[in-house]
Amino acid sequence: MEDRLLSPSEVIQILNIPRHKLTYLFDTRKLKSEDFTRLGNGRFVFRQSDLEKIKKALFEVATR
C-alpha cells in the first residue's frame, strides 16, 4: 500500500475529530512534533502509519 502524505485536515476528517483535539495532543506533548514529517514551509504532513499513533494518543487521553 502506498504511504501517501495526509494533511492535518485529512487526518481530522478520517478520524472524525475536531481540529482542537489534534492541536491539544501536540500542545500537551502527547504527540511529539519531531516524530512527524514537516514540509519546507513548516506545515505538518502525516503518513497513514501516523494515524495509529494519533489514535493511540487520543485513546490515552480519553481514558484518563
Side-chain angles (χ1 to χ4, degrees):
M1 183 171 103
E2 181 183 330
D3 201 20
R4 78 178 191 90
L5 299 177
L6 303 167
S7 70
S9 296
E10 290 173 303
V11 169
I12 63 174
Q13 186 176 15
I14 291 168
L15 296 178
N16 195 29
I17 60 171
R19 182 174 297 274
H20 71 270
K21 284 196 177 188
L22 186 59
T23 302
Y24 172 81
L25 295 175
F26 283 104
D27 288 349
T28 59
R29 302 282 291 161
K30 304 293 183 205
L31 294 175
K32 296 179 177 128
S33 59
E34 57 269 15
D35 293 342
F36 297 92
T37 305
R38 284 186 185 246
L39 298 176
N41 62 8
R43 293 182 187 244
F44 281 107
V45 288
F46 301 93
R47 300 186 187 292
Q48 196 71 32
S49 57
D50 292 336
L51 292 178
E52 289 305 315
K53 292 180 199 174
I54 296 168
K55 285 180 193 177
K56 183 179 178 203
L58 286 167
F59 180 75
E60 288 174 4
V61 168
T63 56
R64 288 189 176 178

